[in-house]
C-alpha cells in the first residue's frame, strides 16, 4: 500500500453500516468472529448490526436486526455455538424472501454484510449480491423505497467467513469450529480408550462429516486408530478381510484394544454406505471380538471453543471488516481465511465451485480427484496415516541404518507423539531405531536402548516426555558422546526439544571439527511450550499450553464476573518469549498482555490502570491482565499487582495468579498430536535420504551445513533449515528469534480491548486465487 492509501483505520468506517449474521450449522468460534466484527467495526467508526437467527432474521427484519454495542459482545468469546442464533431458512431461497431482506437492509442504510456459515450460506449471500440492483429496482417501483435510498445503497458488499466443523470448504486450511470439534472427539476417544483397555474391546466411533472425512482422518492420526473410513477414499473391495486381519494383528502384538473411526458419510467403492453397525456386525461375526459402537453426534458441535478457534475467529473478524470497508462495486464477494498462519482473501465463488467439484467427483466415483481437490494438507494427512497404519514393519536384512531419537529441554505435550511417529516410520523404512533417555546427558552416559514397534504404542495421547528430558548441553561431554555414537553405531540423530535442542545442535556442528564421530546427520524438531525456537512459526506443545492458560483464564473471568469490580493479573510461562501471553490474551479477551518484545514504561502501566478505571464504569466490571514471566525484571508480577491495588483503591480489587508448571503438563491437544506426528514422519524421510547421501567408504560422514537442520513450519510449508544459517536470526541472550510473526497480532489484541491505536492496514491480505494457492499451500 502506498502512504496515501494507508489512512488511519479509525476513520475507515465512518458513515458505513455493517450487518453480521451466522447461518447454517453452528460451530464453536463463531462468537469470537462476531465479537471481532462488532468491535473492529465500531473501532473504524462504522455502525454494526446483529442479525438474529441467520437469514430468517434478515427476511423477517424488525427486532431481529439490532444495533450492537461494544459491551453487547462481552463474555462471548468463551461460549460455544452462536449467541445471535442460526436457522435454516427456506424463505431466503425464494426471490420474494430476498426482496424483503433487501428492503430491511436499505431502510437501515446497511450495505455491508458479513456472513459466517458453511458453503450453502455463502452461496446464498453471493446470489443475493448479484441480484441486488434488480431487487432495488423492484422495491423502488413498488414504492417501498425512495430513489434517494436506492442511490445510497446502490451496491452490496459481501464478505464470508467459513464456520463449519467439517473443514469441508476448499481454499481454507481450517474453518472456524474444526479444531474445537477435534478437541471434543479426542477427549471422547481418550476416555473410551481407558475403558476399552480394561475389557479388551473393539470400539467403532462414528464422527460427523457427511461429505468430508477431515475430522475422521485427523482423529485417526491423533489417536493411532486401527482403521478409518472416509468418503473421499473408499476402501478396496476386499476390505472386510483386510480389516479383520489388521485387527487380529494388532491384538497379537499385545494391544488390548482396537479403535475404528468412521465418518458418517463413509461409502465403499460402489457408493454403498458403510455404517458403524455394519462394521460392528462384521467384527463380531468374523472375529468374535467384544465390539461397541459410539456415535458422537452433536457433542462435536458443543462445548467451549478451543484457543485456536478463538484466535482464528478473532483474526478473521478483523480481516472481514477490512475487506468490507475496502470493498468497491467491482471487488468480488470474498471469503477471508487462513493459509498456514497467514490471513488471505479468496473469491467466494471460486471456493464454492471447488467445494462443489469435490462432492461431484465423489458422486461420480472419481475418488483420486476428490482427494487432490481437498488440497495438499488433506493429502499429507492421508499419506502419513496410511504409512503409520501399516502394520507389518518390513523384516529387511542388510542395509539397516541406525537412528537415535531423544528429547531435550523442558517437557512439552506432543513430544511423545513425535517420538512415536519417528520410531515407527524409521522401522517401516527398515532402520534400527534407538531411543536415548534424559537428553544429551543420557547420550553421554549410554542410557540408550533399541526399541520395536510396540514400545511406542499408545504414546500419541500422553503428555510430558516418556523418554525423559534434560536441559544439559552436549559440549562438555563430547568425548563420552562420541564414544557412544561409535559403540551403538548411531548414524543419525533426531532431537525433539526446545531452545536447548537448537543450541545443542549448534554445539554438535562446532564439535565436528574435533570429533569425526559427530559427523552424522541430525534434525531438530521444535517442541516447547514457549514457541521460541528459531526457524519455526510453531513448536509442538505451545497449542496445549495455550489451551491450558485459556481454560484457566475463563474460570478466573467467571469468578471475577461474579464478584464484580475485580482485576486479575496472571503470569504465564515462556521465558523471554511473549507468544503465550499474547495469544492467550487474544483467546481469553485480556485487557493487556505485558511482554518482553514490546518494552513498556511506567506511563504504559498508568494508561492501563486508567483504562480499567473507565471500564469499571461500564457494565463489564472485570479486568484480565496477562504478564509474561520475564517481560521486565523490575516490573514484576508483584510490582504490577501492588501498583494496580494502590491505584484501584475504592474502584476495583486486584488479585494475582501465577500459573506455573501446569502449562507444561496435560494431554496434548489434537493440533499438537497431529503436528508432532507429521513432523516426526517428515524428519525421518529426510533422515534416510541424508544418511544415504553421506555414505563414504562404508561409513557415514556428514560434514556439510545442510546435514544439521531445524525442521520448522514457515508460513505455509515445512522446511529444513541448517542450524548454522539460523544463527544470525537468533537473540541468544534472551533465547528468542529476532523476528516473530505473531507480534503483528498485538494491535488486534489492543483494539479488541478498546484501546485507541492505529491499526496498520499495510499488512492486510490481498485477494488471491484458489488455483494458485493450491500449489503453494502448506504441506503440513
Amino acid at each position: 500500500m502506498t502512504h496515501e492509501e494507508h489512512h488511519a483505520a479509525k476513520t475507515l468506517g465512518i458513515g458505513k453500516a455493517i450487518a453480521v449474521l451466522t447461518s447454517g450449522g453452528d460451530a464453536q468460534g463463531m462468537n469470537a468472529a462476531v465479537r471481532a466484527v462488532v468491535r473492529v467495526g465500531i473501532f473504524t467508526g462504522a455502525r454494526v448490526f446483529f442479525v438474529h437467527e441467520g437469514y430468517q432474521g434478515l427476511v423477517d427484519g424488525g427486532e431481529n436486526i439490532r444495533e450492537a454495542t461494544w459491551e453487547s459482545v462481552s463474555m462471548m468469546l468463551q461460549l460455544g455455538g452462536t449467541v445471535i442464533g442460526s436457522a435454516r431458512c427456506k424463505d431466503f431461497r425464494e426471490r420474494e424472501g430476498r426482496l424483503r431482506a433487501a428492503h430491511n437492509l436499505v431502510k437501515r442504510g446497511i450495505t455491508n454484510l458479513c456472513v459466517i456459515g458453511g458453503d450453502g450460506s455463502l452461496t446464498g449471500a453471493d446470489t443475493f449480491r448479484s441480484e441486488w440492483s434488480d431487487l432495488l429496482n423492484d422495491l423502488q417501483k413498488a414504492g417501498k423505497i425512495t430513489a434517494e435510498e436506492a442511490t445510497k445503497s446502490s451496491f452490496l458488499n459481501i464478505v464470508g467467513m467459513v464456520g463449519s466443523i467439517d473443514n469441508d470448504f476448499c481454499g481454507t486450511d481450517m474453518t472456524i469450529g474444526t479444531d474445537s470439534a477435534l478437541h471434543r472427539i479426542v477427549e471422547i476417544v481418550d476416555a473410551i480408550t481407558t475403558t476399552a483397555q480394561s475389557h479388551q474391546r473393539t470400539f467403532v466411533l462414528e464422527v460427523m462429516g457427511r461429505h468430508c472425512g477431515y475430522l475422521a482422518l485427523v482423529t485417526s492420526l491423533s489417536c493411532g486408530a486401527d482403521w478409518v473410513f472416509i468418503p473421499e477414499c473408499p476402501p478396496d473391495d476386499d476390505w472386510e478381510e483386510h480389516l479383520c486381519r489388521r485387527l487380529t494383528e494388532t491384538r497379537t502384538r499385545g494391544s488390548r484394544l482396537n479403535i475404528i473411526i468412521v465418518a458418517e458419510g463413509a461409502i465403499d467403492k460402489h457408493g454403498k454406505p458403510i455404517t458403524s453397525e455394519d462394521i460392528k456386525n462384521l467384527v463380531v461375526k468374523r472375529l468374535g471380538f467384544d465390539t461397541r459402537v459410539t456415535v458422537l453426534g452433536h457433542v462435536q458441535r458443543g462445548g467451549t471453543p478451543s484457543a485456536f478457534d478463538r484466535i482464528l475467529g478473532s483474526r478473521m473478524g478483523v480481516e472481514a471488516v477490512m475487506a468490507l470497508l475496502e470493498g468497491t462495486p467491482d471487488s468480488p464477494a470474498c471469503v477471508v481465511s487462513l493459509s498456514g498462519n497467514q490471513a488471505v482473501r479468496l473469491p467466494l465463488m471460486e471456493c464454492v465451485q471447488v467445494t462443489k467439484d469435490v462432492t461431484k467427483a465423489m458422486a461420480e466415483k472419481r475418488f483420486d480427484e476428490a482427494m487432490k481437490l481437498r488440497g495438499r494438507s488433506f493429502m499429507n494427512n492421508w499419506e502419513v496415516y496410511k504409512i503409520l497404519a501399516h502394520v507389518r514393519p518390513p523384516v529387511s536384512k542388510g542395509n539397516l541404518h541406525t537412528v537415535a531419537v531423544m528429547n531435550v529441554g523442558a517437557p512439552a505435550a506432543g513430544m511423545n507423539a513425535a517420538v512415536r511417529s519417528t520410531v515407527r516410520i524409521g522401522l517401516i523404512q527398515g532402520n534400527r531405531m534407538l531411543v536415548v533417555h534424559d537428553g544429551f546427558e543420557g547420550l553421554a552416559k549410554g542410557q540408550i536402548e533399541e526399541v520395536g514397534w510396540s514400545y511406542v504404542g499408545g504414546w500419541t495421547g500422553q503428555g510430558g516426555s516418556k523418554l525423559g528430558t534434560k536441559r544439559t548441553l552436549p559440549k562438555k561431554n563430547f568425548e563420552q558422546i562420541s564414544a557412544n555414537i561409535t559403540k551403538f553405531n548411531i548414524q543419525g540423530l533426531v532431537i525433539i526439544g526446545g531452545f536447548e535442542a537448537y543450541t545443542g545442535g549448534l554445539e554438535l556442528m562446532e564439535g565436528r571439527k574435533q570429533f569425526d564421530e559427530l559427523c552424522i546427520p541430525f534434525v531438530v524438531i521444535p517442541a516447547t511450550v514457549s514457541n521460541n525456537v528459531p526457524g519455526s512459526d510453531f513448536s509442538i506443545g505451545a497449542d496445549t499450553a495455550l489451551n491450558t492458560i485459556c481454560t484457566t483464564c475463563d474460570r478466573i473471568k467467571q469468578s471475577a464476573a461474579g464478584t464484580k469490580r475485580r482485576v486479575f493479573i496472571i503470569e504465564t510461562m515462556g521465558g523471554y518469549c511473549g507468544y503465550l501471553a499474547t495469544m492467550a490474551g487474544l483467546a481469553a479477551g485480556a485487557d493487556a498482555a505485558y511482554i518482553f518484545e514490546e518494552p513498556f514504561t511506567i506511563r504504559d502501566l498508568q494508561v492501563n490502570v486508567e483504562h480499567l478505571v473507565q471500564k469499571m464504569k461500564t457494565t463489564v466490571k472485570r479486568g484480565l491482565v496477562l504478564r509474561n514471566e520475564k517481560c521486565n525484571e523490575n516490573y514484576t508480577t508483584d510490582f504490577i499487582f501492588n501498583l494496580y491495588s494502590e491505584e484501584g483503591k475504592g474502584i476495583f480489587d486486584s488479585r494475582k495468579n501465577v500459573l506455573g508448571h501446569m502449562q507444561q503438563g496435560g494431554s496434548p491437544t489434537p493440533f499438537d498430536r497431529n503436528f508432532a506426528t507429521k513432523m516426526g514422519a517428515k524428519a525421518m524421510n529426510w533422515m534416510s535420504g541424508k544418511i544415504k547421501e553421506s555414505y563414504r567408504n562404508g561409513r557415514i560422514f556428514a560434514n556439510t551445513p545442510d546435514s544439521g537442520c531445524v525442521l520448522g513450519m514457515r508460513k505455509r510449508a515445512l522446511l529444513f533449515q541448517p542450524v548454522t544459517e539460523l544463527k544470525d536470526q537468533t537473540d541468544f541472550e534472551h533465547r528468542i528469534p529476532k523476528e516473530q510473526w505473531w507480534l503483528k497480532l498485538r494491535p488486534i489484541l489492543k483494539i479488541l480491548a478498546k484501546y485507541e491505536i492505529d491499526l496498520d492496514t499495510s499488512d492486510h491480505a490481498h485477494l488471491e486465487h484458489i488455483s494458485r494457492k493450491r500449489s503453494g499451500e502448506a504441506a503440513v
Side-chain angles (χ1 to χ4, degrees):
M1 277 195 179
T2 61
H3 187 68
E4 286 69 48
E5 279 180 274
H6 181 175
H7 40 223
K10 279 190 286 204
T11 53
L12 204 57
I14 290 173
K16 296 182 179 175
I18 300 172
V20 56
L21 67 89
T22 54
S23 168
D26 67 323
Q28 308 95 321
M30 280 183 164
N31 292 325
V34 170
R35 168 180 178 266
V37 169
V38 169
R39 289 194 170 171
V40 176
I42 292 172
F43 169 83
T44 62
R47 294 174 71 197
V48 187
F49 292 83
F50 289 135
V51 179
H52 291 268
E53 312 309 333
Y55 284 120
Q56 195 60 54
L58 203 59
V59 174
D60 297 344
E63 274 297 283
N64 289 307
I65 305 177
R66 282 181 242 161
E67 189 160 355
T69 63
W70 191 273
E71 290 152 45
S72 61
V73 291
S74 172
M75 282 304 257
M76 255 172 91
L77 204 51
Q78 59 266 49
L79 300 173
T82 162
V83 174
I84 56 175
S86 172
R88 309 250 177 223
C89 173
K90 286 203 180 70
D91 296 345
F92 194 74
R93 294 207 175 125
E94 306 301 323
R95 193 164 188 278
E96 183 48 41
R98 292 195 288 275
L99 203 59
R100 284 165 59 196
H103 179 241
N104 290 328
L105 289 178
V106 174
K107 282 296 181 205
R108 291 172 177 79
I110 301 170
T111 55
N112 296 286
L113 187 59
C114 176
V115 179
I116 309 169
D119 55 344
S121 316
L122 298 181
T123 313
D126 196 69
T127 312
F128 190 39
R129 177 182 171 150
S130 58
E131 296 178 346
W132 186 253
S133 43
D134 293 349
L135 294 171
L136 293 198
N137 285 339
D138 290 9
L139 288 169
Q140 209 180 324
K141 278 184 200 143
K144 293 201 173 152
I145 60 171
T146 65
E148 192 188 347
E149 284 175 325
T151 319
K152 253 193 185 156
S153 305
S154 61
F155 71 97
L156 177 69
N157 265 325
I158 282 188
V159 170
M161 280 184 259
V162 192
S164 148
I165 65 167
D166 295 340
N167 202 18
D168 55 359
F169 195 78
C170 293
T172 61
D173 277 4
M174 283 295 263
T175 57
I176 296 170
T178 307
D179 188 62
S180 302
L182 286 169
H183 272 254
R184 291 303 88 77
I185 297 171
V186 166
E187 280 158 20
I188 290 167
V189 176
D190 285 353
I192 280 176
T193 305
T194 52
T195 162
Q197 274 176 329
S198 311
H199 299 281
Q200 299 202 26
R201 283 193 173 136
T202 296
F203 266 90
V204 182
L205 288 163
E206 184 180 305
V207 301
M208 282 185 168
R210 269 200 309 275
H211 304 296
C212 180
Y214 185 86
L215 291 177
L217 180 52
V218 175
T219 302
S220 309
L221 268 179
S222 305
C223 68
D226 293 291
W227 195 287
V228 63
F229 291 93
I230 58 173
E232 289 87 346
C233 195
D236 295 328
D237 284 343
D238 61 345
W239 64 269
E240 290 96 343
E241 281 72 35
H242 193 164
L243 172 66
C244 292
R245 192 174 73 234
R246 166 95 43 97
L247 297 179
T248 317
E249 279 175 1
T250 313
R251 286 289 171 100
T252 49
R253 279 208 324 275
S255 170
R256 295 176 57 90
L257 79 159
N258 302 108
I259 288 194
I260 300 163
I261 308 280
V262 195
E264 61 181 338
I267 46 176
D268 64 16
K269 284 256 195 287
H270 311 288
K272 189 172 136 311
I274 298 177
T275 68
S276 34
E277 281 299 325
D278 295 342
I279 299 164
K280 173 190 162 168
N281 297 336
L282 170 80
V283 176
V284 171
K285 200 169 100 212
R286 295 224 186 154
L287 300 175
F289 287 177
D290 184 356
T291 308
R292 298 281 193 274
V293 172
T294 302
V295 178
L296 299 191
H298 283 75
V299 168
Q300 295 161 80
R301 288 193 187 280
T304 173
S306 64
F308 181 92
D309 274 331
R310 298 179 195 195
I311 292 163
L312 176 65
S314 304
R315 287 181 68 185
M316 297 302 92
V318 175
E319 195 54 55
V321 172
M322 290 305 152
L324 282 171
L325 299 180
E326 290 165 10
T328 63
D330 310 323
S331 48
C334 75
V335 208
V336 293
S337 88
L338 209 59
S339 171
N341 60 17
Q342 290 187 292
V344 292
R345 298 179 188 175
L346 300 163
L348 189 141
M349 287 322 285
E350 278 185 32
C351 296
V352 168
Q353 194 47 56
V354 181
T355 306
K356 288 200 170 122
D357 291 346
V358 179
T359 322
K360 189 163 173 252
M362 282 171 10
E364 292 168 9
K365 307 193 177 43
R366 297 192 317 263
F367 295 109
D368 287 348
E369 194 176 328
M371 280 294 246
K372 281 203 189 77
L373 289 168
R374 280 270 180 245
R376 262 187 26 204
S377 166
F378 193 93
M379 294 281 285
N380 263 17
N381 280 321
W382 180 248
E383 291 308 318
V384 174
Y385 166 75
K386 272 201 314 209
I387 297 171
L388 283 173
H390 215 12
V391 163
R392 302 176 176 157
V395 195
S396 66
K397 301 279 178 281
N399 191 19
L400 285 176
H401 298 306
T402 303
V403 179
V405 191
M406 60 199 287
N407 291 160
V408 176
M415 277 182 163
N416 300 326
V419 172
R420 169 184 176 267
S421 84
T422 306
V423 167
R424 290 197 167 172
I425 298 276
L427 291 169
I428 288 165
Q429 292 170 347
N431 298 314
R432 186 168 148 253
M433 296 303 291
L434 306 176
V435 295
V436 181
H437 299 279
D438 298 337
F440 287 117
E441 196 175 297
L443 191 58
K445 289 184 178 165
Q447 294 166 287
I448 302 167
E449 60 175 318
E450 183 176 346
V451 295
W453 185 268
S454 43
Y455 180 82
V456 290
W459 276 27
T460 328
Q462 303 203 14
S465 160
K466 306 260 292 184
L467 293 182
T469 179
K470 281 213 161 62
R471 288 179 184 267
T472 323
L473 289 167
K475 200 172 188 169
K476 54 178 196 284
N477 298 324
F478 274 164
E479 299 204 334
Q480 295 100 303
I481 287 177
S482 300
N484 281 326
I485 287 178
T486 306
K487 180 180 168 189
F488 290 93
N489 188 25
I490 296 172
Q491 296 166 315
L493 200 51
V494 177
I495 309 167
I496 301 162
F499 199 82
E500 284 83 9
Y502 161 70
T503 43
L506 281 169
E507 287 188 6
L508 291 176
M509 280 313 241
E510 275 299 298
R512 285 179 175 183
K513 295 175 192 140
Q514 279 169 286
F515 297 91
D516 276 0
E517 295 87 343
L518 299 178
C519 295
I520 56 172
F522 69 84
V523 58
V524 174
I525 298 179
T528 163
V529 297
S530 307
N531 194 21
N532 62 339
V533 179
S536 192
D537 290 349
F538 294 111
S539 60
I540 296 166
D543 186 66
T544 305
L546 204 51
N547 278 287
T548 307
I549 299 170
C550 234
T551 312
T552 311
C553 288
D554 287 351
R555 289 179 182 171
I556 286 170
K557 269 173 84 171
Q558 213 167 21
S559 114
T563 42
K564 301 269 191 299
R565 298 182 183 281
R566 184 162 283 178
V567 175
F568 275 89
I569 293 137
I570 295 174
E571 180 185 306
T572 68
M573 277 185 163
Y576 285 99
C577 177
Y579 178 80
L580 287 179
T582 300
M583 295 309 238
L586 258 179
D591 293 287
Y594 298 119
I595 63 169
F596 167 76
E597 293 90 342
E598 195 176 279
F600 56 97
T601 63
I602 192 72
R603 274 183 293 290
D604 298 304
L605 291 169
Q606 244 173 326
V607 169
N608 293 149
V609 171
E610 185 46 41
H611 184 258
L612 285 164
V613 168
Q614 294 308 317
K615 192 175 174 184
M616 296 300 156
K617 295 177 183 164
T618 68
T619 52
V620 187
K621 298 191 193 318
R622 54 163 208 287
L624 180 69
V625 175
L626 297 176
R627 179 191 172 275
N628 162 267
E629 56 184 356
K630 289 189 177 169
C631 64
N632 186 307
E633 59 179 329
N634 296 314
Y635 297 151
T636 58
T637 302
D638 286 338
F639 175 90
I640 292 177
F641 167 69
N642 291 336
L643 176 84
Y644 275 56
S645 302
E646 181 57 37
E647 297 293 316
K649 267 190 187 155
I651 306 163
F652 58 80
D653 289 342
S654 299
R655 292 283 187 277
K656 67 173 182 217
N657 214 327
V658 176
L659 298 185
H661 281 75
M662 62 187 268
Q663 295 165 85
Q664 285 180 3
S667 172
T669 54
F671 178 88
D672 278 333
R673 296 180 191 199
N674 193 12
F675 187 43
T677 302
K678 288 198 277 195
M679 294 281 268
K682 188 107 176 164
M684 249 352 261
N685 289 337
W686 174 87
M687 182 59 79
S688 51
K690 268 291 172 261
I691 294 180
K692 287 192 184 79
E693 259 174 55
S694 317
Y695 225 75
R696 307 264 184 289
N697 321 328
R699 73 187 191 97
I700 305 295
F701 187 77
N703 207 8
T704 51
D706 69 351
S707 60
C709 285
V710 169
L711 168 57
M713 180 174 163
R714 283 285 177 106
K715 291 189 177 162
R716 298 183 181 183
L718 289 178
L719 304 174
F720 289 92
Q721 304 144 94
V723 284
T724 45
E725 279 179 23
L726 293 169
K727 235 168 138 165
D728 297 341
Q729 302 173 23
T730 311
D731 168 353
F732 285 98
E733 187 194 343
H734 300 106
R735 307 177 52 214
I736 50 174
K738 287 179 186 166
E739 282 189 14
Q740 304 185 84
W741 67 273
W742 49 267
L743 282 167
K744 62 175 190 289
L745 301 184
R746 300 265 309 166
I748 299 178
L749 177 87
K750 292 173 190 169
I751 289 169
L752 293 176
K754 208 170 185 176
Y755 281 92
E756 292 293 324
I757 66 154
D758 272 333
L759 177 62
D760 176 9
T761 52
S762 58
D763 198 49
H764 280 300
H766 297 290
L767 196 67
E768 296 192 11
H769 289 282
I770 187 167
S771 50
R772 198 181 71 230
K773 171 177 176 298
R774 266 258 185 68
S775 50
E777 190 180 358
V780 179

